[in-house]
Amino acid sequence: MMRWQPRRYDDKLGFVSALAADLIELLAPAPGERVLDVGCGTGDLAHRIAQRGAEVVGIDISPEMVAMARSKYPHIRFEVADAQDYRSDGSFDAVFSNAALHWMRKPRQVLESVRSALRPGGRFVAEFGGKGNVHSISRALEVVLARRGVDAHERNPWYYPSLGEYATLLEAAGFQVVYASHFDRPTPLPDGDLGLDHWLETFAQPFLLGLPPGEVAQVKAEIKDLLRPELFRDGTWVADYRRLRVAAVLAG
């Protein structure tokens, strides 16, 4: 299982939440609504939704992330839960998720959890990695790990569907898709040349498991050598993000 480091996440990778401002606009939470935040991380977006007057419950599989969220926002309810088997009482007006669903390899089960949480007519708004997300970074991981006899495909923790694939899953789960977009979003990583190191240390953990610390450092160096001509621009690493954004309504 991934071991998330919430302080590093907030300090070095805070862009994940910062880039979701317009996703909250798409959600359009209203005062008095109940909203479930799936994959809430350290709680920043749950807090922003609560500032709109909604009652928010955040869930995340990481105890470390939930503990940080509770310490930052004690007025919001946060729970440790796996969205792939989470069940609620169907009393939420909306379910929201940012940058989390691509960590869940059982999308049908996730949508069952979302469906169980929503009242009839409730809405689901989410953004996550779509087909082609971090393609160049993934390819570099494959090449560098193959030099060591490691098959990166076997360690891949991510689910990056196409728009058509995910819209089909939503419809099969009883949702009407009202908005869907699959788009490139080149994303600058903070901290200069160390930006990609922070990204790899956090998001590529499953690929690096079992390697000695010295070997991990060498793997990162080789990945950066491969990617520098393409993704390092004016002193900043720019991750080749490709995102999928959807809004859907549960049939009444």
Side-chain angles (χ1 to χ4, degrees), residues 5-250:
Q5 298 182 40
R7 196 163 301 283
R8 173 194 284 170
Y9 187 87
D10 279 355
D11 291 346
K12 304 299 184 182
L13 302 162
F15 63 86
V16 175
S17 296
L19 289 171
D22 58 344
L23 188 65
I24 294 178
E25 295 304 316
L26 183 61
L27 175 69
E33 284 193 318
R34 298 193 75 230
V35 178
L36 178 68
D37 182 357
V38 172
C40 62
T42 62
D44 290 349
L45 295 178
H47 172 63
R48 291 172 67 174
I49 294 169
Q51 287 180 316
R52 299 285 194 97
E55 177 190 346
V56 186
V57 175
I59 64 170
D60 200 287
I61 198 170
S62 166
E64 296 86 2
M65 296 292 244
V66 168
M68 175 68 86
R70 287 171 174 166
S71 69
K72 289 165 66 176
Y73 307 112
H75 59 291
I76 297 175
R77 176 179 159 198
F78 295 101
E79 301 176 0
V80 178
D82 184 349
Q84 296 175 125
D85 58 20
Y86 180 78
R87 289 297 178 268
S88 185
D89 57 5
S91 62
F92 288 94
D93 298 287
V95 174
F96 172 86
S97 184
N98 179 62
L101 298 184
H102 53 252
W103 292 102
M104 305 174 197
R105 299 297 299 267
K106 300 176 181 178
R108 289 180 177 83
Q109 288 90 321
V110 172
L111 289 176
E112 281 301 311
S113 297
V114 172
R115 180 174 179 167
S116 77
L118 284 171
R119 61 168 179 77
R123 61 200 189 279
F124 175 43
V125 173
E127 182 180 305
F128 56 107
K131 186 174 182 179
N133 192 58
V134 294
H135 174 78
S136 296
I137 296 175
S138 298
R139 179 60 184 151
L141 277 162
E142 292 170 12
V143 169
V144 171
L145 290 175
R147 295 170 181 168
R148 293 156 174 82
V150 176
D151 186 347
H153 292 284
E154 293 181 355
R155 298 189 174 201
N156 189 349
W158 301 317
Y159 165 66
Y160 294 146
S162 69
L163 187 155
E165 176 185 347
Y166 201 70
T168 299
L169 290 177
L170 282 165
E171 291 176 349
F175 289 88
Q176 176 189 357
V177 180
V178 297
Y179 175 86
S181 178
H182 189 189
F183 58 96
D184 290 321
R185 191 178 66 204
T187 302
L189 305 179
D191 213 8
D193 191 50
L194 292 175
L196 187 58
D197 294 79
H198 299 317
W199 194 98
L200 291 168
E201 289 161 9
T202 300
F203 298 130
Q205 286 182 52
F207 296 98
L208 306 177
L209 286 176
L211 298 177
E215 191 71 10
V216 169
Q218 182 60 32
V219 164
K220 289 189 297 182
E222 291 177 27
I223 289 171
K224 290 169 74 174
D225 286 344
L226 285 176
L227 292 175
R228 195 174 296 277
E230 180 181 1
L231 299 184
F232 195 64
R233 305 169 191 168
D234 300 321
T236 298
W237 288 100
V238 180
D240 54 329
Y241 276 18
R242 187 163 173 78
R243 311 310 270 181
L244 185 61
R245 179 175 289 195
V246 297
V249 176
L250 181 63

